[in-house]
Amino acid sequence: KQEVTQIPAALSVPEGENLVLNCSFTDSAIYNLQWFRQDPGKGLTSLLLIQSSQREQTSGRLNASLDKSSGRSTLYIAASQPGDSATYLCAARDQTGANNLFFGTGTRLTVIP
Amino acid sequence: ETGVTQSPTHLIKTRGQQVTLRCSSQSGHNTVSWYQQALGQGPQFIFQYYREEENGRGNFPPRFSGLQFPNYSSELNVNALELDDSALYLCASSLAETSGFEQYFGPGTRLTVT
């Protein structure tokens, strides 16, 4: 069964700093990997989706990389802002059946003004 | 384009009761998945429906059941509620025919079982 781990569990940085969030998964046979943002008590907002054949995806100040062979993905956030404060979740999509998502427990990011 | 909506927003039930949660998919989407997110945890896959048929199920007991309607809206039913069922329930819709199976999530229903 796929297991997804995110490190660190929580991160606090001053505004303007660049930062990296880490995600690892145990089964490299994934369809794709998706990064989400979740504000307290709210639903999930999709940030980036990387297909299994891709190495990285970029959207604005966000860049996500994928290394399937080592079972790792990183989310890079440039020039962090207080509005980036949220929990970031990565999820690996199963290749078979329902293609459902296996989620990590998230990294809770706080950007200090 | 209308996003994914869920109702109710919050719900409080007593152990042993039954509950029905509702989800309206994003326009044009034919697949809906349900997830349970306990406090401090990542979402866990419950099941998925595609064109009104269950298309996959996670490690949840049969007292968790669902329906998908011809308009692709969906329900999650939970019987014999237990205290551990307290969680945020998320639904996500997608269009199976598109590459990536990218899912769009609703705001969730917060269920509290006392």
Side-chain angles (χ1 to χ4, degrees):
Chain A
K1 180 194 166 188
Q2 179 76 267
E3 291 186 9
V4 179
T5 304
Q6 291 188 247
I7 296 172
L11 183 63
S12 186
V13 300
E15 182 178 0
E17 192 162 296
N18 302 326
L19 58 102
V20 174
L21 307 181
N22 296 295
C23 171
S24 60
F25 46 95
T26 55
D27 186 350
S28 62
I30 61 171
Y31 192 86
N32 55 39
L33 187 135
Q34 200 164 353
W35 282 91
F36 295 87
R37 169 191 172 131
Q38 186 173 32
D39 292 289
K42 304 294 185 183
L44 277 60
T45 301
S46 178
L47 299 173
L48 290 165
L49 184 150
I50 314 175
Q51 300 289 6
S52 61
S53 59
Q54 296 176 320
R55 297 285 293 184
E56 65 179 316
Q57 280 285 342
T58 299
S59 176
R61 294 183 294 108
L62 305 180
N63 176 275
S65 68
L66 175 64
D67 184 343
K68 262 185 59 174
S69 60
S70 67
R72 292 182 184 181
S73 177
T74 61
L75 179 66
Y76 174 83
I77 302 177
S80 58
Q81 302 171 356
D84 295 332
S85 297
T87 295
Y88 291 81
L89 293 154
C90 74
R93 179 167 276 104
D94 191 8
Q95 266 191 337
T96 61
N99 301 99
N100 59 284
L101 293 168
F102 291 88
F103 283 85
T105 52
T107 294
R108 189 172 71 252
L109 173 66
T110 304
V111 181
I112 304 166
Chain B
E1 186 176 88
T2 307
V4 179
T5 60
Q6 292 185 243
S7 63
T9 305
H10 296 92
L11 201 53
I12 300 174
K13 289 286 189 178
T14 303
R15 191 172 53 183
Q17 285 187 314
Q18 178 266 342
V19 68
T20 297
L21 310 182
R22 294 178 174 82
C23 172
S24 180
S25 298
Q26 185 162 315
S27 178
H29 285 182
N30 55 16
T31 304
V32 65
S33 302
W34 285 91
Y35 293 83
Q36 180 196 65
Q37 186 178 24
L39 202 60
Q41 301 297 313
Q44 301 257 336
F45 174 69
I46 304 175
F47 45 56
Q48 182 183 88
Y49 278 81
Y50 170 67
R51 294 186 183 274
E52 303 176 56
E53 297 284 334
E54 188 177 291
N55 188 39
R57 190 178 183 92
N59 190 26
F60 281 81
R63 59 188 185 84
F64 286 78
S65 63
L67 282 173
Q68 187 183 30
F69 300 101
N71 66 354
Y72 300 131
S73 64
S74 176
E75 286 182 356
L76 164 65
N77 298 291
V78 187
N79 293 322
L81 283 166
E82 301 177 359
L83 296 179
D84 284 349
D85 295 334
S86 295
L88 181 68
Y89 287 85
L90 298 163
C91 81
S93 73
S94 58
L95 182 60
E97 289 78 6
T98 59
S99 65
F101 297 93
E102 187 167 8
Q103 293 176 344
Y104 297 84
F105 282 78
T109 293
R110 171 73 63 188
L111 172 64
T112 302
V113 181
T114 62

